[in-house]
Amino acid sequence: MRNACSPRITPSEITPRDVYYGRRRFMRTAAGAAAAALLPRWLSAGEKLPGVRTGAYVLPDALTPFEDVTHYNNFYEFGTDKESPSRTAGSLQTRPWTVSVEGEVQKAKVFDVDELLKLAPLEERIYRLRCVEGWSMVVPWVGFPLAELVKRVEPTGNARFVEFITLHDPAQMPGQKSSVLDWPYREALRLDEAMHPLTLLVFGLYGEVLPNQNGAPVRVVVPWKYGFKSAKSIVRIRFLEQQPVSTWTRAVPSEYGFYANVNPEVDHPRWSQAKERRLGEFFKRPTLMFNGYAEQVAHLYAGMDLKKFF
C-alpha cells in the first residue's frame, strides 16, 4: 500500500473505476434506487442509513476515528471551540426540514429533506477533509453528487454560481447569539465546481445519519477546498449570476478568499499551509495540492493566478 504521505495520488485511488460500469453498475444503481424508495421518514442521528452502496472513491489513508470526526468540529453556530458543537448541537431539530432551491433555475422547488434522500442512490465516499487552520481528517461520507440535484432544477443560462445558506435560528443554534460572524452562514461555488463529480451532497458519515455537530441533516462536501467551503445544515440553495460574498470572505477578506482551494504554496497570512496535522498523528505531513485531488480538479482553474484567486 502506498505511504499515506505520498505527494502524488493516482487517479485509480480516488476516481470511478471503469471496471464497475456496465451490468454491475446498472444492477447496483437499481438496487440503490429501490432501497432509497423505501427510506423511512424521521431518521435521526445514530441510525444507519439504509441502501448505502460502497462508492468507488477510496483512499489509502487510514480513517479518522468516529469519535474524533464527531467531537472535533468547527461549527460556530454552536460555539467557537472544537468541543462545543458536540455538546450543544442537540438543540437542533432536524425534522421537519426543508431546503429551498431558487434563483436562476427553471424548476425552483422546496424539497423536504426526506425527499432529497430519495433523489439518488446513496453511496459512501472516503474523502480527505483539510481545515484552513492546518489540521485534517479522513471521513467516510454518505451522500450523492450534488450534480444530481442541480440537473433536476435545470439552471438557466444565467446561472454561474451556487450559494448555500445555513439555518439561522439562535434558539436552536446558540452560537448565533454571538456576533462573531454575520449570520446566516453563507458559502458558494462556481456552477462548474458544484457540478464536479467530487462535490457531494451529504446526509451521513460512517454509514449513519449525519450528527448535528457535523452539519445535519444535509450539507455539502467539496474535498479539494478548505473545510469552511463545505456548508452545513443547509436550508437554501440559490443559483446566481453574480458571485456572492461568502461569510468568511465578508468577515476577513484579506485572509479568506472565495475559492479557498487547498494550496501548500499559498500561506494564510498568519501561518503556513505547507504542512498539516492529521488528527491522531504526532508528526505533521506535507499538504497536497488541491488536497490530493489535483488530477481531478486542476483543469477548473487553468490559466488562473491561484495566489490572486486564493
Side-chain angles (χ1 to χ4, degrees):
M1 179 178 292
R2 176 178 282 101
N3 187 297
C5 296
S6 170
R8 182 177 179 81
I9 304 298
T10 63
S12 64
E13 290 171 334
I14 56 174
T15 57
R17 295 161 287 187
D18 292 341
V19 69
Y20 288 101
Y21 288 5
R23 177 181 290 271
R24 288 186 179 182
R25 183 182 182 189
F26 172 80
M27 292 176 67
R28 189 168 61 229
T29 301
L38 299 174
L39 275 171
R41 293 181 60 82
W42 313 112
L43 287 169
S44 58
E47 291 186 66
K48 288 289 184 182
L49 283 164
V52 178
R53 64 186 187 182
T54 301
Y57 291 81
V58 297
L59 290 171
D61 308 43
L63 297 180
T64 300
F66 179 86
E67 281 297 305
D68 288 339
V69 173
T70 57
H71 288 79
Y72 193 89
N73 308 108
N74 277 338
F75 202 174
Y76 280 19
E77 284 80 350
F78 297 103
T80 55
D81 63 271
K82 300 295 186 290
E83 294 76 26
S84 285
S86 61
R87 290 198 309 264
T88 65
S91 56
L92 179 65
Q93 301 299 309
T94 60
R95 295 298 193 283
W97 191 282
T98 58
V99 179
S100 175
V101 183
E102 55 197 57
E104 293 289 345
V105 292
Q106 300 284 357
K107 297 181 178 180
K109 182 175 179 178
V110 177
F111 289 88
D112 182 88
V113 68
D114 294 293
E115 182 182 7
L116 282 178
L117 272 164
K118 299 177 183 179
L119 206 62
L122 297 176
E123 64 177 270
E124 181 178 84
R125 293 188 176 187
I126 300 173
Y127 283 165
R128 299 180 191 86
L129 173 68
R130 170 64 154 82
C131 181
V132 71
E133 296 170 345
W135 55 267
S136 64
M137 56 175 66
V138 178
V139 185
W141 302 106
V142 176
F144 55 75
L146 177 63
E148 295 287 350
L149 173 60
V150 174
K151 288 184 289 187
R152 283 166 173 78
V153 298
E154 298 181 10
T156 71
N158 293 328
R160 297 178 55 240
F161 297 90
V162 185
E163 183 182 45
F164 308 93
I165 303 175
T166 292
L167 175 70
H168 184 203
D169 186 346
Q172 297 190 61
M173 295 176 150
Q176 291 178 338
K177 296 174 183 177
S178 164
S179 59
V180 63
L181 290 174
D182 184 16
W183 311 110
Y185 193 90
R186 299 171 182 266
E187 256 308 334
L189 301 169
R190 283 191 335 212
L191 182 58
D192 59 343
E193 294 175 323
M195 291 290 290
H196 192 279
L198 284 173
T199 304
L200 205 61
L201 194 64
V202 169
F203 304 89
L205 55 79
Y206 267 97
E208 298 181 358
V209 173
L210 199 63
N212 288 5
Q213 62 266 32
N214 293 95
V218 58
R219 65 174 291 173
V220 290
V221 171
V222 192
W224 68 93
K225 294 179 179 288
Y226 293 119
F228 70 86
K229 292 295 291 186
S230 296
K232 307 178 182 78
S233 300
I234 297 168
V235 293
R236 294 175 67 196
I237 300 176
R238 301 171 66 218
F239 288 75
L240 305 171
E241 183 174 4
Q242 301 298 322
Q243 178 177 307
V245 180
S246 300
T247 291
W248 276 106
T249 302
R250 183 184 300 278
V252 196
S254 63
E255 297 186 4
Y256 303 100
F258 174 81
Y259 285 95
N261 290 320
V262 176
N263 188 344
E265 299 176 1
V266 177
D267 292 334
H268 186 280
R270 291 181 281 128
W271 57 80
S272 170
Q273 296 288 16
K275 293 186 177 181
E276 64 192 60
R277 178 180 61 86
R278 179 69 51 83
L279 295 192
E281 297 180 357
F282 181 77
F283 294 104
K284 289 188 175 183
R285 59 172 63 206
T287 296
L288 304 177
M289 185 65 188
F290 294 112
N291 208 22
Y293 300 94
E295 293 190 43
Q296 287 67 45
V297 303
H299 69 278
L300 297 175
Y301 312 102
M304 288 179 60
D305 181 345
L306 298 182
K307 293 187 176 181
K308 178 181 179 180
F309 297 100
F310 60 95

